[in-house]
Amino acid sequence: MATLDNYKALREEIDAATIKLWDEHHNNMACKKGCDKCCLNFDVFPIEFDYIKQQVEENYPEVLNQSLSPDSFGEEDKCLFLKDHQCSIYTARPIICRTHGYPLLYMNEAGDQWELSHCELNFTQVDEDYFNEDNCYAQDTFNSRLFMMNKEYIKTAHPDKGEFDLIPLADLLKR
């Protein structure tokens, strides 16, 4: 059975991969504290939601007590955890937030060609020949593992959820 510890291990592996990518690409990346272009209201798998909830309760209890007006939810699609252009739950943030901006390789819908994605603010001084499988994040590999881990996890932790069901991260703030 998949557990929150499995998710934590996957996240640590992803963090190690992004550190390696940062070491290689930091000169071509505009990502820095205060940049919030990619900070949106994301939905996550139940396994990720539960782990983040646990981490926020332990490490950021003040965030859960913030007062929000009813119209705060969905405002410009900005993440509700963004405060003064910084993530208020940074160490607990979802995988998508940990990898955004880096060069990501994923298989196209036809399944016959790798596609490259990265933040439009990054890599402005290089062409696509700069990228290869060794200096990019293998998004599909990690996402497939997360999907399978979640599929197993919801059998016991969220039997009411289907394998494609997501939970809005903003639901952490609902009481």
Side-chain angles (χ1 to χ4, degrees), residues 3-18 45 47-48 51 95 98-99 137-150:
T3 66
L4 295 180
D5 289 337
N6 296 105
Y7 169 78
K8 179 183 178 193
L10 177 64
R11 195 174 80 173
E12 288 170 353
E13 187 178 341
I14 289 168
D15 284 349
T18 58
F45 284 123
I47 192 170
E48 189 163 29
Y51 186 82
I95 288 172
R98 293 168 182 277
T99 61
Y137 173 80
Q139 184 177 15
D140 286 349
T141 302
F142 288 114
N143 284 355
S144 294
R145 289 173 55 199
L146 177 60
F147 177 82
M148 296 307 291
M149 191 180 295
N150 181 70

Side-chain angles (χ1 to χ4, degrees), residues 79-98:
C79 180
L80 295 177
F81 298 102
L82 187 62
K83 302 295 176 220
D84 299 321
H85 302 284
Q86 295 182 51
C87 180
S88 63
I89 61 166
Y90 187 77
T91 61
R93 71 197 184 285
I95 288 172
I96 192 169
C97 301
R98 293 168 182 277

Side-chain angles (χ1 to χ4, degrees), residues 113-170:
Q113 185 176 347
W114 286 106
E115 299 282 336
L116 173 69
S117 173
H118 58 75
C119 175
E120 64 191 44
L121 301 177
N122 296 337
F123 304 103
T124 58
Q125 304 299 314
V126 299
D127 59 26
E128 288 207 16
D129 293 339
Y130 170 80
F131 301 102
N132 59 62
E133 288 183 35
D134 294 328
N135 70 3
C136 293
Y137 173 80
Q139 184 177 15
D140 286 349
T141 302
F142 288 114
N143 284 355
S144 294
R145 289 173 55 199
L146 177 60
F147 177 82
M148 296 307 291
M149 191 180 295
N150 181 70
K151 186 176 176 179
E152 187 66 28
Y153 178 76
I154 61 173
K155 288 179 184 176
T156 55
H158 289 273
D160 59 318
K161 300 282 185 202
E163 62 187 35
F164 296 103
D165 288 348
L166 301 171
I167 302 172
L169 195 58

Side-chain angles (χ1 to χ4, degrees), residues 95-111:
I95 288 172
I96 192 169
C97 301
R98 293 168 182 277
T99 61
H100 192 81
Y102 291 101
L104 309 174
L105 282 179
Y106 63 95
M107 189 59 62
N108 67 4
E109 286 189 31

